[in-house]
Amino acid sequence: MPANRTRQTTALAPLLALNFFMADMQAGIGPFLGVFLLAHGWQTGLIGTVMTAGGIAGMLMTTPAGALIDATRSKKLFVIVPGIFTVAASGIVLWSQEFWLVAASQVATAIAGAAIGPAVAGITLGIVLQAGFNRQNGRNQAFNHAGNMAGAGLSGLLGWLYGFTAVFWLAAAFGILSIISVLMIPSDSIEDDAARGLERRGDNGGQASGVQVLVESKPLLILAAALLFFHLGNAAMLPLYDLAVVAGKHANPASFVALTIMIAQGTMILTALIAMRMAEKKGYWLVLLISFIALPIRGIIAAWLLNKWGVYPVQLLDGVGAGLQSVAVPGLVARILDGTGRVNAGQGAVMTVQGVGAAISPAIGGWIAQEFGYRPMFLILGGFATVSVALWTAFSPSLKPACAGKPERTPGEAVSAAAGIA
């Protein structure tokens, strides 16, 4: 047991490094894609359509990827291979801005990246087990947001000095460092049964539930529905706010996009740590309610302050919403599905539903902005999250027990809880 504890401790530093470096590897040129294509003569409608194509591809792959991560004992491979392909696919955009090549690049990037989130969640759960997951996931997310902030700052600086080519080189460097980090995690520090939310009981080992446990879980379905509407409004707000300000010639494209990301990610570092503490004391219900409320307020401010000064309140609120969710959503899914052996499939399923909203959002926002203007578009996008607030409050009697801390249970009791059975 002491040897196992030492292996776990040894794994935590590279795990945090992985979360830091994978942030820019995953994002790559993504946040800069809109202004990059705008500079090459693209219209907002086509830009939104390309982003949606990538979102749909990622959405279709996340649930199968999560199920594969539950089944495999080579979870680190699901970070290494996507990392290689994400960097390679993003480079296509520099080579050509032809519509179908750009679309293919975004699709390939999304498919490759679909497994990274569930894989890192599974690796974390396998190292620290259910009891330590909330706190370690909070630290992971703080480092991830710090990586996003550092990557955005460096991208803005290098983009300003050397052009958008430097942004791709930076993403490649972060990708290499991510691969090195995950390779430094000792494989024997990851307990495979625990990594899928299945603790061994007796000599025969635990038995994973069928995948139907995902659709039978009322709390999980409500969570997914609330996240669907949130991301339907949230996903397009940052790239289209960037376009609105840059199109009005209020700011330098590369440096302004970097500033928006840095403000949001800096806020997310703090809110991720706050969410970790709130979840320990109050559970996840209040954390997620606050995250949903932030988006309608953000939409109103974005429509009202459509200039370079509006970036501060708009992105601070983005940091509040996304920072709280980055801790609460994986933690709540792991808690709901504890004992079922389907935690990573559940993470993937929730990401898939989030992806539906995120995939449709840029297309809806882009065409609304093109036909009616940016101000109505921001109000409409912010309004989608009011549905999330309504769902979360209306079903609070079912959600609050699932969101609260739970005593240790047998796998059979955990399956019943996941299905919403008292």
Side-chain angles (χ1 to χ4, degrees):
M1 191 69 172
N4 185 52
R5 178 67 63 187
T6 301
R7 288 194 296 270
Q8 289 179 342
T9 303
T10 304
L12 294 181
L15 176 63
L16 292 174
L18 169 62
N19 277 274
F20 182 89
F21 291 119
M22 80 179 205
D24 195 67
M25 177 191 75
Q26 283 181 287
I29 198 173
F32 295 84
L33 181 63
V35 293
F36 178 77
L37 294 176
L38 188 69
H40 286 78
W42 285 49
Q43 298 296 313
T44 57
L46 282 180
I47 293 172
T49 300
V50 163
M51 292 179 177
T52 292
I56 291 173
M59 170 195 71
L60 294 174
M61 288 302 298
T62 45
T63 301
L68 282 172
I69 292 162
D70 276 333
T72 186
R73 293 184 177 271
S74 302
K75 291 176 174 58
K76 296 195 296 184
L77 195 63
F78 283 80
V79 177
I80 296 168
V81 173
I84 295 170
F85 280 96
T86 298
V87 175
S90 297
I92 295 174
V93 180
L94 270 183
W95 177 53
S96 172
Q97 292 79 52
E98 198 272 330
F99 175 80
W100 292 109
L101 279 176
V102 174
S105 167
Q106 294 308 295
V107 168
T109 300
I111 291 173
I116 295 177
V120 173
I123 290 169
T124 303
L125 189 58
I127 293 171
V128 301
L129 312 184
Q130 181 69 223
F133 184 75
N134 174 66
R135 180 157 292 198
Q136 185 59 42
N137 184 50
R139 295 191 184 106
N140 285 357
Q141 295 306 323
F143 270 76
N144 187 265
H145 298 316
N148 263 315
M149 189 176 178
L154 288 170
S155 295
L157 176 62
L158 295 175
W160 177 60
L161 292 173
Y162 305 110
F164 276 103
T165 303
V167 177
F168 287 102
W169 285 110
L170 181 67
F174 270 60
I176 293 168
L177 291 169
S178 298
I179 292 170
I180 293 171
S181 298
V182 77
L183 287 172
M184 291 176 64
I185 298 174
S187 295
D188 58 0
S189 68
I190 304 170
E191 296 187 18
D192 288 300
D193 285 332
R196 64 189 299 188
L198 183 66
E199 296 186 12
R200 287 191 174 276
R201 306 277 176 172
D203 295 333
N204 295 328
Q207 178 66 43
S209 306
V211 292
Q212 71 270 15
V213 73
L214 304 181
V215 295
E216 291 173 353
S217 172
K218 185 178 179 180
L220 193 69
L221 293 176
I222 298 166
L223 172 65
L227 290 170
L228 167 68
F229 285 99
F230 177 87
H231 286 277
L232 187 63
N234 186 69
M237 197 166 286
L238 171 58
L240 290 173
Y241 190 80
D242 291 342
L243 290 181
V245 175
V246 170
K249 303 189 185 301
H250 294 296
N252 171 268
S255 60
F256 180 76
V257 175
L259 177 64
T260 62
I261 299 168
M262 289 178 67
I263 292 170
Q265 295 296 331
T267 307
M268 288 178 202
I269 296 172
L270 179 61
T271 54
L273 296 173
I274 291 172
M276 177 183 74
R277 297 292 184 182
M278 286 180 64
E280 288 178 346
K281 295 180 179 180
K282 302 289 186 180
Y284 290 115
W285 186 85
L286 181 60
V287 176
L288 284 164
L289 178 64
I290 295 170
S291 78
F292 296 143
I293 291 172
L295 184 57
I297 300 171
R298 185 180 175 218
I300 293 169
I301 294 174
W304 178 45
L305 290 176
L306 203 54
N307 55 57
K308 64 181 181 181
W309 301 111
V311 66
Y312 297 100
V314 167
Q315 289 308 94
L316 283 170
L317 285 168
D318 182 38
V320 170
L324 295 176
Q325 287 186 18
S326 69
V327 173
V329 173
L332 180 54
V333 172
R335 184 171 290 177
I336 291 171
L337 296 176
D338 183 27
T340 67
R342 295 294 180 181
V343 166
N344 297 300
Q347 302 283 9
V350 169
M351 290 175 65
T352 297
V353 177
Q354 289 180 171
V356 173
I360 298 171
S361 181
I364 291 177
W367 288 111
I368 292 174
Q370 186 169 306
E371 297 297 326
F372 302 104
Y374 286 106
R375 295 183 192 278
M377 179 269 298
F378 287 126
L379 293 174
I380 292 170
L381 291 182
F384 285 127
T386 59
V387 181
S388 303
V389 175
L391 284 170
W392 205 245
T393 52
F395 289 98
S396 60
S398 298
L399 291 166
K400 285 184 178 180
C403 293
K406 298 185 178 72
E408 185 176 347
R409 294 168 303 193
T410 66
E413 290 171 333
V415 172
S416 296
I421 301 171

